[in-house]
């Protein structure tokens, strides 16, 4: 779980591995500093890991400019045949990864915890040390930003959903 | 409040929840889930549903983490490095001495810590752990147990100190 969360935050396997190792080293060094106060150990571990990831992202932002989201994929997807599907999936994945990577770190963290790690809003808010309302706000802003950046892909996907399963959204008959 | 007004209010809340947590009710706040799930499946919320689920589907296409098996060993090696390798029993004795625990008290404390270590290991790593005690699993047990036993001496209501 820690590696997966670090990967979602940092976007690279090598960085996620380093962050995971660092998290457990900090756990080892600072085990005596954990104070229960009714919170779970898992929450604390996540907090150590995610704080470390936020630090790394802040440093990276200072050192490197942002990459642009690859563009033009949606236009080529419209004319793609089956043979091209794998290629376009990879390109689409790269576009999604880039859009996620450009989110402000705290929005990305909220999305990582709630969407990818599937933690409850209460658990995620505890890890981020913010209120549940503040978490909801971060999530809404993050998803709104992604929706704009990925609009062409999203519209393409909605079209696919309509074509493939009319009147059967969400498993309804 | 009329039925129409109530429906509009619930749709507005549904929109906010879907815009924040997406189109899968499993991810929604528990307080809203039951009340809004039925509305979410209805015709009135078709646009909310389509938008939220489309973005979810894109998010689910992002690159997935693939943890290398060697990471588990490297993390465990980090645990093992600072303290010299010792038996778990000797380690418990030392910790127990710190907190004034003696004799029979060690049994439940050790059992709890040992069970906690298994829980930590199985939760932290997606790869399965070996059933037998290895230097790596013992190191993980040290880490988890140190956290749990250290907490025995702390007063309630003390603060977190994550980093």
């Amino acid at each position: 779980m820690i590696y997966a969360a670090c990967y979602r935050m940092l976007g690279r396997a090598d960085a996620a591995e380093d962050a995971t190792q660092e998290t457990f080293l900090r756990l080892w060094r600072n085990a005596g500093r954990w104070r229960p106060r009714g919170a779970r150990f898992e929450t604390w571990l996540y907090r150590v890991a995610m704080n470390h990831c936020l630090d790394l992202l802040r440093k990276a932002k200072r050192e490197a400019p942002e990459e642009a989201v690859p563009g033009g994929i949606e236009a080529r997807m419209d004319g793609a045949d089956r043979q091209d599907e794998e290629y376009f999936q990879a390109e689409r994945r790269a576009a999604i990864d880039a859009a996620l990577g450009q989110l402000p770190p705290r929005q990305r963290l909220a999305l990582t915890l709630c969407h990818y790690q599937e933690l409850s809003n209460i658990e995620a808010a505890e890890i981020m040390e913010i209120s549940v309302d503040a978490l909801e706000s971060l999530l809404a802003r993050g998803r709104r930003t992604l929706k704009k950046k990925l609009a062409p892909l999203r519209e393409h996907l909605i079209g696919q959903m309509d074509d493939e399963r009319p009147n059967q959204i969400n498993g309804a008959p | 409040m009329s039925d129409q007004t109530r429906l509009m209010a619930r749709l507005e809340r549904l929109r906010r929840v879907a815009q924040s947590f997406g189109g899968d009710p499993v991810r929604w706040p528990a307080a809203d889930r039951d009340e809004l799930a039925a509305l979410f499946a209805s015709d009135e919320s078709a646009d909310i549903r389509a938008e939220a689920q489309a973005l979810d589907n894109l998010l689910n296409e992002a690159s997935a983490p693939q943890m290398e098996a060697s990471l588990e060993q490297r993390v465990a090696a980090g645990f093992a490095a600072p303290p010299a390798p010792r038996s778990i029993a000797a380690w418990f004795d030392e910790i127990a001495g710190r907190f004034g625990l003696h004799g029979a008290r060690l049994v439940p404390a050790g059992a709890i810590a040992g069970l906690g270590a298994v829980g930590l290991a199985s939760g932290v790593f997606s790869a399965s752990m070996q059933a037998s005690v290895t230097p790596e699993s013992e190191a993980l047990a040290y880490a988890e147990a140190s956290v749990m036993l250290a907490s025995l001496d702390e007063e309630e209501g003390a603060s977190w100190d994550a980093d």
Side-chain angles (χ1 to χ4, degrees):
Chain A
M1 66 180 191
I2 293 299
Y3 171 78
C6 290
Y7 180 88
R8 296 294 186 189
M9 285 299 291
L10 302 173
R12 287 191 358 244
D14 57 344
E17 287 182 9
D18 289 347
T20 303
Q21 279 189 278
E22 178 61 26
T23 297
F24 282 94
L25 279 174
R26 288 181 184 195
L27 161 72
W28 184 226
R29 287 196 297 259
N30 301 314
R33 294 166 65 195
W34 180 55
R35 307 290 185 270
R37 205 179 57 180
R40 294 190 307 155
F41 172 71
E42 186 184 353
T43 304
W44 183 66
L45 190 57
Y46 260 122
R47 194 179 293 165
V48 172
M50 296 300 97
N51 281 344
H52 179 57
C53 288
L54 289 174
D55 286 344
L56 291 175
L57 288 171
R58 281 189 210 105
K59 281 179 195 162
K61 190 179 180 185
R62 282 198 297 268
E63 291 166 9
E66 288 185 350
E67 293 173 21
V69 176
I73 297 166
E74 67 286 352
R76 283 172 282 153
M77 279 167 56
D78 289 338
D81 58 24
R82 286 275 167 198
Q83 289 177 327
D84 294 326
E85 200 169 302
E86 202 172 309
Y87 169 76
F88 286 121
Q89 270 183 353
E91 271 208 65
R92 194 160 68 174
R93 182 175 297 120
I96 295 165
D97 289 348
L100 282 166
Q102 287 180 11
L103 280 181
R106 289 175 67 77
Q107 291 178 22
R108 196 187 323 175
L109 175 54
L111 203 65
T112 294
L113 297 175
C114 291
H115 185 85
Y116 291 112
Q117 301 303 111
E118 297 192 337
L119 298 178
S120 73
N121 60 331
I122 294 169
E123 289 169 320
E126 271 184 27
I127 290 166
M128 295 184 70
E129 298 183 275
I130 57 177
S131 70
V132 169
D133 286 344
L135 173 79
E136 198 169 313
S137 172
L138 279 173
L139 284 168
R141 280 185 280 147
R143 288 180 66 99
R144 196 160 51 236
T145 303
L146 287 172
K147 188 175 151 184
K148 276 184 200 162
K149 289 191 174 188
L150 299 173
L153 300 182
R154 191 171 49 87
E155 279 154 21
H156 182 84
L157 206 63
I158 288 176
Q160 272 187 338
M161 286 166 65
D162 290 343
D163 291 344
E164 287 169 10
R165 44 176 188 162
N167 305 318
Q168 289 192 24
I169 295 172
N170 204 26
Chain B
M1 187 186 283
S2 70
D3 286 352
Q4 185 61 25
T5 310
R6 196 174 296 118
L7 175 63
M8 295 306 290
R10 288 175 65 216
L11 273 172
E12 187 49 39
R13 176 58 187 155
L14 175 62
R15 187 181 302 280
R16 284 205 305 272
V17 167
Q19 284 174 344
S20 298
F21 296 94
D24 186 348
V26 167
R27 294 191 179 94
W28 295 354
D32 291 302
R33 196 178 302 138
D34 290 344
E35 190 195 343
L36 296 179
L39 180 60
F40 189 62
S42 70
D43 289 344
E44 282 97 343
S45 59
D47 61 329
I48 299 173
R49 192 174 54 220
E51 289 280 339
Q53 290 179 342
L55 186 55
D56 281 353
N57 288 341
L58 284 175
L59 291 176
N60 293 339
E61 279 192 55
S63 298
Q66 306 278 338
M67 193 182 85
E68 280 189 25
S70 62
L71 179 60
E72 188 180 329
Q73 275 74 43
R74 277 182 280 148
V75 169
F79 282 155
R86 294 168 295 178
S87 72
I88 288 179
W91 186 82
F92 280 142
D93 285 343
E94 182 185 313
I95 296 294
R98 253 181 77 197
F99 296 107
L101 300 172
H102 302 287
R105 287 187 186 183
L106 281 178
V107 177
I112 291 167
L115 287 172
V118 172
L120 172 74
S122 60
V124 164
F125 296 109
S126 56
S128 63
M129 295 287 290
Q130 290 181 351
S132 60
V133 176
T134 64
E136 289 80 14
S137 62
E138 197 174 16
L140 282 170
Y142 291 156
E144 169 74 350
S146 71
V147 169
M148 299 186 78
L149 284 179
S151 71
L152 293 176
D153 199 38
E154 303 300 340
E155 59 185 356
E156 284 202 15
S159 62
W160 287 86
D161 193 1
D163 190 12

